[in-house]
Amino acid sequence: AQKVTQAQTEISVVEKEDVTLDCVYETRDTTYYLFWYKQPPSGELVFLIRRNSFDEQNEISGRYSWNFQKSTSSFNFTITASQVVDSAVYFCALSGYNAGNMLTFGGGTRLMVKP
Amino acid sequence: DTAVSQTPKYLVTQMGNDKSIKCEQNLGHDTMYWYKQDSKKFLKIMFSYNNKELIINETVPNRFSPKSPDKAHLNLHINSLELGDSAVYFCASSQGQQTNYGYTFGSGTRLTVV
């Protein structure tokens, strides 16, 4: 069985603050993929990143960065200099090799960025 | 040129009715999925089809029946709708069944049962 936990249900920050969204996962697979998705108020699911279990390099894309630590089973997401447009629900997800490409989502973190 | 399109976007219906949600993808993907997002935003897989064959069928009431006429379409039919079926339903597709392929999600269908 696989499980994803996003302990922060809601975070509120003021614009330009940095914010980190936590994600902890459980899986018995040695090969797996981790994802982050953004769900803005409009409702669609926007793909942000996919990372495989063999690649622990951190990744940066503009104001977004991801920290993958296999030792602690965590895949945290940081937004630098947050903006109002970053306000959304963010989902971490896991797909294990033996799970038939089934995505298991965390409960989501609602991020509110205030001007 | 929407990659994964769902219709309708909104659906309001009365309890006891039967309704269908349609999903089509033009990406040439082999595998399609239905996910349900409840009122608390929890997203959970319902079904997965690969080349028109059912692969995953999570614990979903028999009132839900997916149908895949071809690998580009995966429709969801729901019989005898109940209040608890109110949710947003997302269709998705991927290149194959292996985990290294990413997902493309549709924009969702918000179903409201009154």
Side-chain angles (χ1 to χ4, degrees):
Chain A
Q2 47 190 37
K3 184 179 176 182
V4 177
T5 302
Q6 295 179 253
Q8 306 147 309
T9 52
E10 204 165 287
I11 301 175
S12 182
V13 300
V14 176
E15 212 170 16
K16 296 184 185 172
E17 283 184 14
D18 298 347
V19 57
T20 295
L21 310 182
D22 297 333
C23 173
V24 174
Y25 62 91
E26 294 174 31
T27 179
R28 291 178 185 162
D29 288 313
T30 53
T31 302
Y32 53 88
Y33 280 76
L34 294 161
F35 302 78
W36 275 95
Y37 284 88
K38 173 182 180 179
Q39 189 173 40
S42 51
E44 70 273 24
L45 285 164
V46 179
F47 167 80
L48 295 178
I49 190 171
R50 178 178 74 244
R51 177 50 54 97
N52 77 54
S53 53
F54 298 109
D55 182 1
E56 286 193 70
Q57 260 194 327
N58 291 333
E59 181 152 341
I60 298 175
S61 175
R63 296 184 297 108
Y64 295 170
S65 61
W66 291 270
N67 183 301
F68 175 30
Q69 293 205 339
K70 221 165 166 177
S71 60
T72 55
S73 296
S74 65
F75 186 44
N76 297 337
F77 172 33
T78 297
I79 302 174
T80 304
S82 59
Q83 299 176 2
V84 173
V85 292
D86 295 327
S87 297
V89 180
Y90 291 86
F91 291 95
C92 181
L94 165 70
S95 178
Y97 182 80
N98 290 315
N101 208 20
M102 179 181 78
L103 270 179
T104 297
F105 285 88
T109 298
R110 182 180 298 276
L111 173 65
M112 290 178 292
V113 182
K114 298 177 183 175
Chain B
D1 289 354
T2 306
V4 179
S5 59
Q6 298 178 226
T7 53
K9 191 168 174 62
Y10 300 97
L11 183 54
V12 181
T13 188
Q14 289 189 326
M15 276 176 55
N17 283 351
D18 302 339
K19 289 293 177 186
S20 291
I21 306 172
K22 295 186 176 180
C23 179
E24 175 182 4
Q25 54 95 2
N26 61 7
L27 299 165
H29 287 170
D30 293 328
T31 308
M32 296 184 72
Y33 313 81
W34 279 108
Y35 279 79
K36 178 180 179 181
Q37 185 173 41
D38 65 21
S39 58
K40 294 184 179 176
K41 296 287 189 180
F42 289 121
L43 273 157
K44 194 165 190 262
I45 191 164
M46 300 174 70
F47 301 103
S48 164
Y49 267 75
N50 179 260
N51 271 319
K52 305 192 297 175
E53 183 184 337
L54 181 65
I55 303 299
I56 295 172
N57 182 356
E58 290 296 291
T59 309
V60 176
N62 291 339
R63 299 180 295 101
F64 289 80
S65 54
K67 290 212 169 37
S68 182
D70 55 61
K71 72 174 193 178
H73 295 83
L74 180 62
N75 303 323
L76 184 64
H77 189 74
I78 316 170
N79 289 327
S80 304
L81 278 155
E82 299 177 358
L83 293 176
D85 297 332
S86 295
V88 179
Y89 293 85
F90 285 96
C91 178
S93 71
S94 67
Q95 185 85 10
Q97 293 182 71
Q98 300 308 311
T99 57
N100 52 315
Y101 296 117
Y103 275 56
T104 303
F105 280 90
S107 56
T109 296
R110 182 175 294 277
L111 171 65
T112 304
V113 183
V114 297

